Amino acid sequence: MIKAAEHNGIPVKEAAPAALLLALLRVGKPAIAAALTLAGFTGMVTAAHGPPQGEIAVSCLTSLFLMSTAAAVVNNVLDRAMDEEMERVSKRSEALRCVGSGRALSWAFALALTAIAISAATLNPLTTLLLVAASAGYAFHYTVFLKRRTPWGALFGIVPGALPVLIGQSAVSPAINSAALALFLVMVVWQPPHFWLLSLAHLDQYRTARIPVLPVAKGIPFTAGCIYLGVAALFPALFILYKSGAFSLSFLTASFAVTLFYYLVCYRVLSVGPVSPAPFRMSIAYLLLIFLLVIAGHCL
């Protein structure tokens, strides 16, 4: 049963425990947390040149998932006013109203403390430091400062989203190697066009919410040009990853083929308009395929 209540003067729905748990999970952006956890696992595989040690893998991936979830919850609370103007996140906004901002922040604090405790007890200090830096960078530096003040937030705020690769690497070995840094570079290069594709697919909503994303500030043609450059930059980034010595020519060929297809999808859709969500979805699939190619290159 759901009844009306108030939290900080804002109507909040008091839900049954099962509905409350579902709302908490939704506010934590589980799909994004899972993707970041996969990035961490890919970093671990790169460092170990194969499957990582079981106990280390469990500790690292658990702490990474929990910390990613905590950062996502804080992001949702800080962005709640803007998100209310955007249909694409309406389910998350409804979930946050159900949970309430105070309870959501308490949940995020508990998750973050648990993640730090697991990492500090079972992993090395560098991993814990990177874990905290990634979470704080996304939840505060990007959300509070960059997102609200510059159309280049997706470019200047790329480091936290790429750090999971180094978190996974450092959990296996505190001495971060060239292959992990190259994979980190791929993640850095991938992020800006990914977000610009998202902002193009929901341009009217970003404009209504007064979020100064690149297509709102600079227009669609300029943003499309930046996306082409960003996707094209993945080719040299992947070549650097290949030259790190950890991957075969088969990996380079397959990753280049996937990148070319990604580029062609972007060009085909953006050159004819109106912009559809297809390139954004392709961007997600692309990164997952690159991760799988990296994992397969070390484990098969």
Side-chain angles (χ1 to χ4, degrees), residues 95-167:
L96 183 58
R97 289 194 298 272
C98 176
V99 173
S101 296
R103 189 156 43 188
L105 289 175
S106 298
W107 171 244
F109 185 69
L111 290 174
L113 280 183
T114 303
I116 293 171
I118 292 172
S119 180
T122 60
L123 304 172
N124 60 68
L126 177 59
T127 303
T128 305
L129 178 62
L130 290 174
L131 196 67
V132 173
S135 177
Y138 172 70
F140 299 106
H141 179 61
Y142 172 74
T143 299
V144 175
F145 181 73
L146 292 175
K147 185 176 182 178
R148 289 162 164 77
R149 289 170 173 80
T150 172
W152 299 105
L155 189 61
F156 298 146
I158 52 180
V159 172
L163 279 179
V165 169
L166 298 186
I167 291 169

Side-chain angles (χ1 to χ4, degrees), residues 146-255:
L146 292 175
K147 185 176 182 178
R148 289 162 164 77
R149 289 170 173 80
T150 172
W152 299 105
L155 189 61
F156 298 146
I158 52 180
V159 172
L163 279 179
V165 169
L166 298 186
I167 291 169
Q169 149 75 45
S170 66
V172 173
S173 171
I176 295 176
N177 61 31
S178 59
L181 289 173
L183 186 59
F184 173 80
L185 175 63
V186 171
M187 281 285 289
V188 163
V189 172
W190 170 82
Q191 287 180 88
H194 170 75
F195 180 74
W196 294 331
L197 287 169
L198 173 66
S199 60
L200 279 177
H202 302 281
L203 179 56
D204 289 340
Q205 295 180 45
Y206 278 101
R207 187 178 286 117
T208 300
R210 297 176 296 281
I211 303 174
V213 291
L214 193 61
V216 170
K218 302 292 186 179
I220 294 177
F222 181 85
T223 303
C226 291
I227 290 171
Y228 299 149
L229 290 174
V231 176
L234 286 165
F235 287 105
L238 287 166
F239 186 75
I240 292 172
L241 180 59
Y242 162 70
K243 291 298 288 184
S244 69
F247 302 95
S248 67
L249 185 59
S250 297
F251 165 81
L252 181 65
T253 303
S255 63

